Amino acid sequence: MQPNGSSPASTQTVTNGSSPEIIEHKAYARIGLLGNPSDVYYGRTISLNIRNFWACVRLQPSADLLIVPHPNHDLVKFDSVSQLVNRLETEGYYGGVRLLMATCKVFTNYCKEQGIHLHNNNFSLSYDTNIPRQTGLSGSSAIVCATFSCLLDFYKVRDKIAVEIRPQLILNAEKELGIVAGLQDRVAQVYGGLLYMDFNKESMDKNGYGNYTQLDTSLLPPLYLIYAENPSDSGKVHSAVRQRWLDGDMFIISSMEKVANLALEGKKALLEKDYSKLAILMNQNFDLRRQMFGDAALGALNIEMVEVARRVGAASKFTGSGGAVVAFCPDGPSQVELLNDACKKAGLSIVPVKVVPSLLSEVDIRAQSSIHHPST
């Protein structure tokens, strides 16, 4: 399951003659185009999945239930202490095995709670990913999302768990591990394509999910992903702002409402293909985030990535909470060339964004409209 530059399908079932079915699913990196991080604050967002990076999970029936460690991301054998220390400094302490395990637990418990029958056959789970670490591209949730899809098909319950519920279950698996995040990433990775999300409090309190609208991906202008090879941890920048919001800080509350409104305006701009307006909204999104979180929380490298794009006149903002930036060049190819040169000089990677279409199957769409489980 080695990632490469191809355009893989989101689902692949492999059969080898009389051998049991092997189920594979891919979930893609996510770019928050507008409105993030207001998804955690009953706001609105626009996100898209990209073909450039993905996680792939493989499920194969087996006699014992086996969670297979990744040869690189879950490395436990080293040539020396120096190699171990270097590995921990560059990759951190945790690989993907814990994500596979947490997904199995949350999936199984939810099915039991809802009276959804699961057969007793066992399986082996393995994974691979090429999503750069700590880039705000939702690498962890991609692994969980792909695992969840494998379980849906292995137990043949895709029609029994509503599409709207799945992102919360994926988030619950990550919460098991102390990962701080909102629903936006998981919704985007479940649905695929270009998605407008409204997480209004009324809907969230009543249903446990928001109102989600898929938009035509052809509405998007050319976008570019900029990222650093050694970014900072994206999970630490939510904390202070979250507490201030909970404490009723009016500056944070009003600023977050402004961020949420950018997504609403952005939806209109995309539908009208008003890309000049889109550029303004993208810049405003980052500026509001910077005012709320402060430079120390955002990090110098993350800010510099935004500034590199802005110095050539491109619009830019974080894809998530830091580590990568999405940029748009309203002046066209000549500006793109300037942006490429600027990124190269700054030692940053830049790639054209390749958008994934909707990932919902006919079964998913039927489940989306016909199943109404209580919120989790």
Side-chain angles (χ1 to χ4, degrees):
M1 287 190 303
Q2 292 299 317
N4 53 48
S6 64
S7 300
S10 62
T11 309
Q12 184 179 9
T13 303
V14 183
T15 56
N16 297 310
S18 60
S19 300
E21 283 189 346
I22 297 172
I23 300 168
E24 285 188 6
H25 276 278
K26 292 182 175 69
Y28 298 87
R30 182 273 308 133
I31 286 178
L33 184 63
L34 285 171
N36 56 308
S38 75
D39 59 309
V40 190
Y41 307 90
Y42 301 114
R44 308 177 192 90
T45 61
I46 297 176
S47 294
L48 56 135
N49 284 17
I50 61 172
R51 291 184 182 274
N52 306 73
F53 301 109
W54 65 86
C56 180
V57 173
R58 170 180 284 204
L59 185 154
Q60 183 169 6
S62 57
D64 298 315
L65 201 154
L66 178 63
I67 308 296
V68 182
H70 190 278
N72 295 322
H73 304 307
D74 299 293
L75 193 63
V76 293
K77 182 179 179 181
F78 305 92
D79 293 334
S80 65
V81 172
S82 296
Q83 186 195 13
L84 182 150
V85 171
N86 181 67
R87 162 65 174 74
L88 295 178
E89 288 179 345
T90 56
E91 297 291 325
Y93 285 90
Y94 303 113
V97 163
R98 62 182 184 141
L99 297 167
L100 303 185
M101 289 182 172
T103 309
C104 290
K105 176 186 176 183
V106 168
F107 176 89
T108 303
N109 286 346
Y110 178 78
C111 289
K112 285 181 179 179
E113 291 168 5
Q114 300 300 323
I116 299 172
H117 174 71
L118 301 179
H119 60 69
N120 294 320
N121 297 337
N122 284 331
F123 55 84
S124 297
L125 274 180
S126 58
Y127 78 98
D128 199 359
T129 181
N130 67 354
I131 301 176
R133 292 186 69 257
Q134 301 298 347
T135 51
L137 295 171
S138 304
S140 294
S141 59
I143 294 172
V144 176
C145 185
T147 305
F148 198 88
S149 288
C150 286
L151 295 174
L152 287 174
D153 289 341
F154 178 69
Y155 288 105
K156 302 187 187 304
V157 294
R158 183 170 289 275
D159 62 332
K160 294 179 174 61
I161 301 180
V163 175
E164 296 93 336
I165 295 293
R166 296 175 197 171
Q168 183 62 58
L169 295 173
I170 290 165
L171 181 57
N172 289 350
E174 294 177 89
K175 284 182 176 179
E176 288 271 326
L177 306 170
I179 295 173
V180 178
L183 272 175
Q184 171 191 212
D185 304 359
R186 291 91 203 147
V187 176
Q189 288 170 324
V190 167
Y191 283 74
L194 176 64
L195 202 65
Y196 171 77
M197 293 163 268
D198 183 343
F199 300 99
N200 68 84
K201 191 174 188 304
E202 181 182 358
S203 179
M204 293 298 295
D205 289 345
K206 179 182 178 182
N207 304 313
Y209 51 84
N211 300 317
Y212 312 135
T213 305
Q214 289 193 303
L215 304 175
D216 191 333
T217 57
S218 68
L219 295 172
L220 287 168
L223 298 172
Y224 295 85
L225 177 68
I226 301 169
Y227 61 99
E229 295 297 333
N230 296 295
S232 58
D233 191 330
S234 67
K236 297 176 181 178
V237 300
H238 284 288
S239 55
V241 167
R242 177 68 177 171
Q243 191 57 53
R244 288 172 65 187
W245 184 82
L246 290 170
D247 292 342
D249 185 317
M250 289 311 300
F251 171 72
I252 297 299
I253 291 172
S254 62
S255 296
M256 205 61 75
E257 288 174 352
K258 291 177 183 177
V259 172
N261 285 334
L262 295 178
L264 186 60
E265 293 182 60
K267 179 185 176 184
K268 183 174 184 290
L270 285 171
L271 291 172
E272 296 175 354
K273 295 195 174 182
D274 185 350
Y275 299 137
S276 296
K277 179 66 172 178
L278 178 66
I280 293 170
L281 297 173
M282 289 174 65
N283 284 331
Q284 287 177 343
N285 202 146
F286 176 77
D287 293 343
L288 284 166
R289 176 189 280 271
R290 190 173 187 178
Q291 291 167 19
M292 287 187 287
F293 287 85
D295 287 6
L298 298 190
L301 176 58
N302 289 324
I303 294 170
E304 176 60 17
M305 283 192 287
V306 172
E307 296 297 340
V308 164
R310 289 191 175 186
R311 283 195 286 268
V312 301
S316 60
K317 63 176 292 295
F318 288 175
T319 60
S321 296
V325 164
V326 57
F328 166 50
C329 295
D331 293 340
S334 60
Q335 194 173 44
V336 173
E337 189 173 340
L338 291 174
L339 180 60
N340 275 294
D341 291 343
C343 288
K344 184 177 180 180
K345 289 176 182 177
L348 301 172
S349 299
I350 178 170
V351 293
V353 167
K354 300 175 182 177
V355 186
V356 174
S358 172
L359 299 175
L360 298 184
S361 67
E362 290 184 8
V363 174
D364 292 327
I365 293 170
R366 286 197 297 272
Q368 181 181 6
S369 59
S370 63
I371 299 177
H372 299 286
H373 289 312
S375 61
T376 55

